[in-house]
Amino acid sequence: MGDILIPDRETHLRLFDGKVIAGSCAMGIGFGLVRFDFGAIARVMVQADWFITTGIGQLAGLNLLAFLLGSFHHSLLSSHKGILRILRVSLLVIVLSFWFAAFEPDLWGQAFTRVCTGWAAGHMISGIPPLALAQSPSSQRRKNSAMVLAGGGAGALIGACSIGIFAPSSPQMAWVVLAICATALAFPVFWLLRSSIHDQLASAQSISTDISMKTPEISIGQRWRVAALLIGGGLLLGAGQVPVTLYTPMVVSQRLGLDPSVSSESLAVLGLGSWIGALVAATFPRRWATASLLPLASIIGLIGSLLFSFSDYLSTVLLATFLIGIWMWVTLSLTYDRLGELVTSPGLNRRLWALMATTAGLGYATFSFSFSNLASSNLNAVLFIGVFVIAFQFLMEIMQGRSVQ
């Protein structure tokens, strides 16, 4: 083999910008098309008599369970080659599963695709950000991590709008639309995975450490305490989003007396809020402490949750959904940045992020399963519980900020 040339700084940064874009595409597939857009397409499948309404909850539950298994499995991986291999498999599984779902109206076939995509999305969401940001200069870590995670909101927005425009009533066409979106987004992700095989550690270190950030000197015990609080906040982040992401159809039909199909528009608004939230996080000046910004993000979520719980107007419900999307993605972006401040080891940072993704999914599952029966008889009580969950998450973010003072 010939010598592998180390790229100069300008070439390296240009390649790194491409990796950020590719990582954003991967988040669009994992977060947007797999995790969020199923709500819109499931309604179309029910209306076309592919299965009854209870099938939505069953399929969503299977997808979430598989996501938890995938993200937890990823937290156990250590080999770089093994990580790249499983990410390539995950990317292929998602694309093929979308195409398979378009031609499989049977509930069991849909269950199979939900399990496959959930497992694959867990790996991609856990593994892609550390891979795409491995050579990020520390001074640009917040911006770059936010740009990568912004793809999740953009993916949800693209998927929801595409279904509404091209396939508002055909489930088969809706799956084809999502499959086309996933296939198009997969090409830059494949390039990211392929190029990562040839990354040079020495080059990564020379670039990523050229501008070091001055962070407070804290003990090992304090670092782990903050990390535990951040991961616990992820658990509450997953739980606090349930009222908006799961019960919007019930809110618009029971409280507002509108067609539940309005929930498709709310999904697009959630994706827009998520995308804008990540972009907002990218604009925060580096001199603003991440530990102080996280509680401010929780306030946005708390306001959105209160509006969602008490509003009797569709415009206010959509505004609340938009704010929840902002809260979710500002928090995710800043949390990834905060973990990078605490842990400098790339391997440990990736595992903590994978654990964060797992706990967020666990929080979502715990909240939705625990209060599913109560939602049928007393929806307002479930919405109020969601407010308290975000309030508690706000307190945890304050605690992690004060732990280093």
Side-chain angles (χ1 to χ4, degrees):
M1 290 181 62
D3 293 335
I4 298 177
L5 299 178
I6 303 299
D8 58 30
R9 177 181 174 83
E10 181 180 353
T11 302
H12 176 89
L13 293 179
R14 186 165 57 250
L15 290 172
F16 178 72
D17 288 341
K19 291 183 178 182
V20 170
I21 295 173
S24 182
C25 291
M27 292 298 99
I29 297 173
F31 264 126
L33 301 185
V34 175
R35 295 289 297 121
F36 285 159
D37 283 332
F38 178 69
I41 203 169
R43 175 186 58 82
V44 180
M45 288 191 289
V46 170
Q47 291 176 342
D49 295 325
W50 280 28
F51 47 78
I52 61 177
T53 305
T54 56
I56 296 179
Q58 295 169 351
L59 294 176
L62 287 173
N63 180 259
L64 184 56
L65 177 60
F67 173 85
L68 290 173
L69 293 175
S71 56
F72 180 71
H73 179 212
H74 198 89
S75 69
L76 303 177
L77 300 177
S78 58
S79 167
H80 183 66
K81 288 184 178 179
I83 291 169
L84 291 176
R85 186 183 305 113
I86 204 164
L87 288 176
R88 288 195 295 268
V89 171
S90 298
L91 181 63
L92 182 62
V93 165
I94 289 177
V95 173
L96 292 180
S97 295
F98 277 2
W99 285 107
F100 177 81
F103 304 98
E104 184 50 66
D106 181 73
L107 182 61
W108 288 103
Q110 291 295 320
F112 174 76
T113 62
R114 288 288 85 200
V115 170
C116 290
T117 55
W119 175 85
H123 276 286
M124 289 189 63
I125 292 170
S126 299
I128 288 294
L131 191 67
L133 301 169
Q135 302 178 41
S136 174
S138 53
S139 60
Q140 298 293 316
R141 182 176 54 232
R142 179 184 297 167
K143 174 186 175 182
N144 292 332
S145 60
M147 295 301 294
V148 168
L149 292 172
L157 180 62
I158 291 171
C161 292
S162 298
I163 292 173
I165 295 173
F166 299 108
S169 58
S170 171
Q172 186 174 56
M173 190 60 193
W175 276 117
V176 169
V177 167
L178 289 188
I180 292 174
C181 293
T183 302
L185 293 174
F187 284 102
V189 182
F190 176 77
W191 170 83
L192 169 64
L193 298 176
R194 187 171 182 272
S195 63
S196 296
I197 299 176
H198 307 290
D199 282 344
Q200 295 298 301
L201 180 60
S203 176
Q205 291 177 339
S206 65
I207 298 296
S208 62
T209 59
D210 59 350
I211 303 177
S212 61
M213 294 305 302
K214 295 182 178 180
T215 55
E217 291 295 332
I218 59 178
S219 67
I220 297 297
Q222 286 177 314
R223 290 178 189 273
W224 283 111
R225 182 180 179 218
V226 174
L229 288 170
L230 290 171
I231 292 173
L235 181 76
L236 299 175
L237 177 72
Q241 65 181 271
V242 172
V244 168
T245 58
L246 193 60
Y247 297 124
T248 295
M250 296 178 66
V251 169
V252 299
S253 62
Q254 294 182 14
R255 183 186 297 170
L256 307 182
L258 300 175
D259 190 324
S261 63
V262 174
S263 59
S264 298
E265 284 74 14
S266 72
L267 180 63
V269 171
L270 180 70
L272 179 63
S274 300
W275 180 59
I276 291 178
L279 296 182
V280 168
T283 64
F284 291 148
R286 187 72 248 189
R287 64 179 181 273
W288 293 3
T290 311
S292 301
L293 291 172
L294 279 165
L296 296 179
S298 296
I299 293 177
I300 297 175
L302 191 57
I303 293 173
S305 183
L306 287 169
L307 290 175
F308 191 79
S309 300
F310 293 101
S311 176
D312 292 326
Y313 300 96
L314 178 61
S315 58
T316 311
V317 169
L318 294 178
L319 173 61
T321 304
F322 179 76
L323 293 176
I324 290 294
I326 290 179
W327 161 66
M328 290 164 55
W329 251 248
V330 170
T331 300
L332 282 173
S333 301
L334 294 178
T335 298
Y336 188 89
D337 181 34
R338 188 77 176 111
L339 289 173
E341 293 175 354
L342 295 170
V343 180
T344 57
S345 167
L348 183 56
N349 183 272
R350 178 186 58 80
R351 291 184 178 184
L352 287 176
W353 172 250
L355 188 58
M356 164 75 178
T358 303
T359 55
L362 183 61
Y364 189 100
T366 301
F367 190 102
S368 57
F369 291 149
S370 298
F371 301 110
S372 58
N373 292 331
L374 180 60
S376 301
S377 58
N378 193 340
L379 178 60
N380 287 334
V382 175
L383 301 183
F384 295 155
I385 293 172
V387 173
F388 286 113
V389 167
I390 298 180
F392 190 37
Q393 191 252 351
F394 169 64
L395 293 177
M396 292 192 72
E397 298 293 9
I398 291 179
M399 292 170 62
Q400 66 81 23
R402 289 182 175 179
S403 295
V404 296
Q405 293 179 354

